[in-house]
Amino acid sequence: MTARILIVDDVPANTRLLEAKLSAEYYQVLAARDGFEAIRLTHSWQPDLILLDVMMPEMDGYETCRRLKDDPLTTHTPVVMVTALGEPSERLRGLEAGADDFLTKPVEYDTLLARVRSLVRLKRLLDEWHLRGETARALGLSTEFAEPPSVAGARALVVDDWDLGAQTVQDALSREGILPGRAGSESEALALAGAIPFDLIVLSLSMTAEDPLWLASRLRTTEVTQDIPLLLIAEPEQKARLLRGFDIGANDWLLRPIDENELRARARNQIRRKFYQDRLRSDLGSALEMALTDPLTGLYNQRYLMRHLHGLLASGRADGLALMMIDVDYFKTVNDRFGHAAGDRALRLIAETLRGRTRVFDSIARYGGEEFVVVMPGTGEHDAAAAAERLRRAIEDLGFAPQEGKRHPLTVSIGLAFAGAHITTAEQLLQAADQAMYRAKRSGRNRVEVSSAG
Amino acid sequence: MTARILIVDDVPANTRLLEAKLSAEYYQVLAARDGFEAIRLTHSWQPDLILLDVMMPEMDGYETCRRLKDDPLTTHTPVVMVTALGEPSERLRGLEAGADDFLTKPVEYDTLLARVRSLVRLKRLLDEWHLRGETARALGLSTEFAEPPSVAGARALVVDDWDLGAQTVQDALSREGILPGRAGSESEALALAGAIPFDLIVLSLSMTAEDPLWLASRLRTTEVTQDIPLLLIAEPEQKARLLRGFDIGANDWLLRPIDENELRARARNQIRRKFYQDRLRSDLGSALEMALTDPLTGLYNQRYLMRHLHGLLASGRADGLALMMIDVDYFKTVNDRFGHAAGDRALRLIAETLRGRTRVFDSIARYGGEEFVVVMPGTGEHDAAAAAERLRRAIEDLGFAPQEGKRHPLTVSIGLAFAGAHITTAEQLLQAADQAMYRAKRSGRNRVEVSSAG
């Protein structure tokens, strides 16, 4: 997949070389001369990846990276820092500034291209999730963390058949507050990863009994594990295996001997990215749930009710389908006398009562202002009438207090109807229940009436 | 990216060779001996790609492909058919059965791997969209087409600097009912693709003045064009360029001399896939819109209102913020006398009146059963009171007919309140408007009262 790549370097000769190489691979490339221009171009051109020189006058690479990562609009653009020395301390500074990876000068092009492919793939996935996130934000759900979430309590799986190597990694993760599990073989790793929702998998490429890349491939093609960050640990001479690992779908890497601080920083960054992705996912879930529920009571809304009823009636599952129309008696009085807040409390109280006293396979919806509907599949007339009577009494017994120390009678009138030979549509069923409910009103309220239609 | 690949062939020797090659590339591979086993494994193992032999006893590859593509659960799994001859007529049969591409025996591995990467990438994207689609389906929105949608009227862009070559393609597409535009250069193509929402781009790799793969890269890195199917047309000796094109993000290909039927079949398949993706996208949009709107009136719901008000008041844009609480007078009587359907009609009528007689930057919400709220930013007391009075009169003048030939007075009481020194929260503003509205009720209804708080 092609991508837009922004190269940031104050020495034009350096950028020209990289630019030519990446353009030959059909990447779209732009160059920036300093950190300020880099930030400007990141906003206007929206690159998929930034190659950022560390040593620059005025604002160095660390500071540029920090500013990009602090800005919600650019925080998810992957940054690969290009360093001269490749010292662990440099890498640590970069990781703490939010960098996604490092390359040392002179840049090895196969490593560069493998990292570009891997980071761009992740970026594209996040872009997809962001689209959802934006919609969630439009709904007023926040998808950005105010500050980087803590990784304490996150679960990691360390996969290594070398006890001492695994222990070093586990100890380092523990000191970060991460809970590290251990698997000594691939089959053990697959079993554990299938059972426990890990936030990070650290895989040693030095395992001897089995091919760790085969495990990487299995993790990446299995639904429950395919989005878990995968960090590879390799010996310096295993470069080719590492690159292959990135092509399979690994997210990060570290060479032995392990620098503890670097491991912790990389683990932290990967776990935070995972948390962010989880959050985007759950925000969208909430947003969609909202489409089906009534905000005040949390019950289903009329929209859901109609679809649900149409579904039940169309699928022929209407046999013994009972429906209650429940209307609060003199509800207007509650609102008029005690205000809307008291009225809302009454509605929530009734909703809770309905929820607590119906079966799991009944569906309860708020149908209108002070009306509720309970749909009861597979229920005969006798049982339905008994259920309605129980609900009526439970609400009467609530002892509703609209204000501190005040009592106000809260009762409902219930109309009950059944699908049958003459009642075959959702509209007919609702209308029959509605008519029975009005009969209950006319007969003095706080009672149940059963429709004779059907 | 790694993937699960299912190889279907009745000759074990054929599958073993392919299996070994793909496993060495760390793909997860399973083999099926016939079409029945292929269908079973596609359901249980959910491969990302199927390599399907054409010549098999009992059920041949075409029939297997057709059955897979006819089943909603497997229809989006890419199928590459492996043929012995590579005749245009064979390819056409395969395309009509829904195949995504073809390879001829003996399989060239670099072509195979390039196609696998490209098709798996698209599959992964569609998987993301399907997750959304499933949620939309849960909301009762249909995301599956009952039958393949017609491509008549779809827009295609043919990019070729060779007039005759472009004309051949345009003519073929036209006979399929597709509307083909033409660009003779890359800059023209970019300008057109930026302005017109094409459903397909057909790009000739034989363009001489410029490098067509550079254009492919530009199209793939530009937001408005990156999801448009890209079909490459190449000379037989341009294989390496074609493979590069797939790596950049092309979706399909065709060799010259062009077989018109094959071009039409490939164009059709690509456009249908695009339509499907568009539909998933818009279904999700509708699902999310639902979360913010009242199903009966289409107005915003209480959930949106509260978020909107909190936003306005928190952002300091509360200066001159007016809010109307509108309650329908004696609404219960409409429901009781004429039934719910009449009541619903009255509410919709009022909603339409409010929508038609407020400004574009006012927000209207259904607040409760028979209550509406109008939020008016930047509005002084005088203007707000005049607006409320206009709305009151417009509703009184509606001449509501609850039943054929019957008239029933439909009026509203309106309470008006303003954000100010003492009213700084959404709750306070709503309460003040609510109190003013109750004063209007007590003073005889069908009138506007202005809150003195603020």
Side-chain angles (χ1 to χ4, degrees), chain A residues 26-46:
Chain A
Y26 292 101
Y27 286 102
Q28 303 286 316
V29 185
L30 269 189
R33 289 292 186 81
D34 57 40
F36 302 101
E37 194 182 0
I39 290 171
R40 246 191 341 270
L41 283 172
T42 305
H43 276 100
S44 62
W45 191 57
Q46 300 180 12

Side-chain angles (χ1 to χ4, degrees), chain B residues 252-264:
Chain B
D252 207 350
W253 62 294
L254 199 63
L255 292 186
R256 291 188 206 274
I258 289 171
D259 178 272
E260 174 175 335
N261 289 322
E262 185 175 344
L263 169 61
R264 288 168 63 173

Side-chain angles (χ1 to χ4, degrees), chain B residues 389-432:
Chain B
E389 182 54 30
R390 269 200 308 279
L391 289 176
R392 186 202 59 73
R393 193 166 326 133
I395 290 163
E396 186 180 17
D397 292 346
L398 279 174
F400 172 61
Q403 282 173 11
E404 186 78 38
K406 282 200 186 160
R407 284 283 160 125
H408 185 83
L410 188 64
T411 63
V412 295
S413 298
I414 302 182
L416 190 57
F418 303 88
H422 299 290
I423 294 191
T424 57
T425 68
E427 289 72 17
Q428 289 167 344
L429 185 57
L430 282 164
Q431 204 193 353

Side-chain angles (χ1 to χ4, degrees), chain B residues 151-157 177-181 196-201 228 271 275:
Chain B
V151 300
R155 281 166 293 227
L157 178 64
I178 299 166
L179 312 172
I196 297 170
F198 288 107
D199 302 303
L200 175 71
I201 296 174
I228 303 176
I271 291 172
F275 283 174

